[in-house]
Amino acid sequence: MSRERARRRAEREAEQARERAVRQRRVARRQRRRAVVRRLTPRLRRGRSGRLARHTRGERAAIVLLTGATLILIWTFVDNLALRVALIVLLLLVLPAIVVIALDRRT
């Protein structure tokens, strides 16, 4: 009886070892394939960096468009050239504060 159990256990262990070897070969093949694909595909830079990284493309477009519209309005409605230049310089100096106040997402 114990010899029979030992023989069955040996058969089970041999079968498990074969399955383990097949599984390891599959995993190794998959890893090699992934490594080749990873090597061949170009790396894309995903993240943005810098001061404008916090804002989405739409927010940046809105900042540029509203600033441009304000510049056009200043240039159109203000007659004095010195006052125009002063208002444009003031706008460009205050613009970062306006952007932070309007678009900052800190809670």
Side-chain angles (χ1 to χ4, degrees):
M1 182 87 161
S2 65
R3 286 183 190 163
E4 184 65 27
R5 277 194 306 228
R7 185 182 60 76
R8 282 193 218 140
R9 185 176 349 111
E11 289 174 358
R12 266 196 323 269
E13 289 174 355
E15 180 64 30
Q16 289 172 351
R18 279 192 296 271
E19 290 173 1
R20 216 176 298 121
V22 168
R23 200 174 317 118
Q24 286 176 350
R25 280 196 302 268
R26 267 194 227 132
V27 168
R29 188 178 324 128
R30 188 179 313 131
Q31 287 175 345
R32 281 193 307 271
R33 238 184 286 134
R34 285 182 182 170
V36 167
V37 169
R38 209 175 296 123
R39 245 190 341 261
L40 294 177
T41 56
R43 287 190 175 86
L44 298 175
R45 290 183 46 194
R46 293 272 177 203
R48 294 186 306 259
S49 62
R51 292 182 186 270
L52 292 178
R54 293 180 225 158
H55 304 294
T56 64
R57 181 176 289 159
E59 289 173 343
R60 287 185 298 218
I63 292 167
V64 170
L65 290 175
L66 290 176
T67 304
T70 307
L71 289 174
I72 291 172
L73 288 175
I74 289 173
W75 201 258
T76 305
F77 290 116
V78 177
D79 291 331
N80 189 355
L81 183 62
L83 184 57
R84 282 182 190 169
V85 172
L87 286 175
I88 290 172
V89 168
L90 181 67
L91 172 68
L92 294 178
L93 286 175
V94 176
L95 184 63
I98 294 171
V99 169
V100 167
I101 291 169
L103 299 177
D104 198 14
R105 290 190 214 91
R106 276 183 256 156
T107 57

